[in-house]
Amino acid sequence: MQKNMKRTALPRQRSLVSPEIQNPFTHQLNLSNLDFLKIAIFSFTLVPLRLILIGLCLVCGFLLAKVSLVFRPEEDKDRPLTGWRNVMRPVVVLFCRSVFFMGGFYWIRVKGKRVSAKEAQVLTLAPHSSYFDAIAVAYLDLTTVVAKSESENVPIFGTLMDFTQPVYVSREDPNSRINTIKEIQRRAQSGGQWPQIIIFPEGTCTNRTCLINFKPGAFYPGVAVQPVTLKYPGALDTITWTWDGPGAYVL
């Protein structure tokens, strides 16, 4: 009897329970003919100009960050940036924010108030849906982030990442998870000496229809955590970047 049974493959977008629950790892973008026409026109007019301006802002921010980190002793990497190395931070932040401005993220509306590092050492940002979420890092003065170790080797972006004094996570290193937890605890329990740590506790991108399970890393230190909610306005969701969705040429 069991040998004759056939398995029926369900599309990943379909829910297995009722009422139907949308898959948070898929994204559908329904574009009209007018939308496709806009994409075709702006790809050859507005996009090149924006790319040039974005490149200029990136290079300027990279050069200033590079100067701030030049000849930095190895032992200083375990201490927060101070003195002349931190003087250029407002200008580096300005160029990083300008990258998003040139890319079309003109204004950021903020509700609520950011507390100091002494009040909450960890900032949790959710839902995480795109690389564009880095705009929150720029707005928060390029404070410390938790990132993949591979990011350190990316040209230009790697230097800007180093400027935030990140906590790097290596997937290849079996001890990386424990070391990351210890480093987060060390900084979070410094009494405000270290900058606040930004963590995307979901650990991956979703379509913002719900929150998925949080990874516990942000909560291991046992210190106050300030939650931050990210929201993108607009009739079309061209921000979301999930494992199943439209390609980059559409977004």
Side-chain angles (χ1 to χ4, degrees), residues 22-247:
Q22 185 173 349
N23 187 337
F25 304 109
T26 64
H27 176 50
Q28 296 180 351
L29 185 61
N30 300 316
L31 299 176
S32 65
N33 292 332
L34 179 59
D35 293 324
F36 281 111
L37 179 61
K38 291 179 180 179
I39 292 174
I41 294 175
F42 293 146
S43 295
F44 295 97
T45 55
L46 182 60
V47 171
L49 177 61
R50 282 186 168 178
L51 289 177
I52 292 173
L53 294 174
I54 288 173
L56 289 174
C57 292
L58 273 177
V59 170
C60 291
F62 158 75
L63 292 175
L64 291 174
K66 193 71 175 179
V67 170
S68 299
L69 299 175
V70 70
F71 301 131
R72 188 180 175 206
E74 190 67 26
E75 58 272 15
D76 280 0
K77 293 185 179 181
D78 291 330
R79 295 191 289 267
L81 288 178
T82 57
W84 68 269
R85 294 185 184 277
N86 209 32
V87 169
M88 298 304 297
R89 180 174 296 274
V91 186
V92 177
V93 169
L94 176 62
F95 279 119
C96 289
R97 174 64 184 95
S98 298
V99 167
F100 290 95
F101 186 88
M102 300 305 175
F105 294 85
Y106 301 124
W107 311 116
I108 301 176
R109 296 180 59 185
V110 180
K111 295 182 179 180
K113 181 181 179 181
R114 177 187 182 184
V115 300
S116 67
K118 290 184 178 181
E119 296 177 81
Q121 190 65 39
V122 179
L123 302 172
T124 55
L125 276 59
H128 185 25
S129 61
S130 168
Y131 287 110
F132 292 124
D133 292 343
I135 190 174
V137 181
Y139 177 82
L140 294 169
D141 301 326
L142 297 180
T143 190
T144 297
V145 296
V146 177
K148 296 183 295 185
S149 58
E150 294 85 353
S151 305
E152 188 177 14
N153 300 320
V154 178
I156 297 180
F157 291 99
T159 299
L160 291 172
M161 186 74 72
D162 283 341
F163 185 74
T164 71
Q165 294 189 275
V167 178
Y168 282 124
V169 182
S170 175
R171 295 179 178 177
E172 288 73 24
D173 184 2
N175 299 319
S176 179
R177 181 174 178 273
I178 299 299
N179 293 334
T180 299
I181 293 174
K182 290 181 179 179
E183 182 61 17
I184 292 175
Q185 289 178 327
R186 185 178 74 88
R187 298 189 186 191
Q189 296 171 355
S190 66
Q193 296 181 13
W194 275 90
Q196 289 171 306
I197 303 173
I198 293 178
I199 298 179
F200 292 91
E202 293 173 296
T204 188
C205 293
T206 67
N207 57 21
R208 300 198 304 277
T209 58
C210 64
L211 292 176
I212 62 175
N213 290 342
F214 282 12
K215 301 294 190 299
F219 311 101
Y220 275 128
V223 297
V225 175
Q226 182 173 24
V228 181
T229 300
L230 301 177
K231 183 178 180 180
Y232 294 93
L236 284 175
D237 183 5
T238 58
I239 305 298
T240 296
W241 187 273
T242 58
W243 73 272
D244 183 16

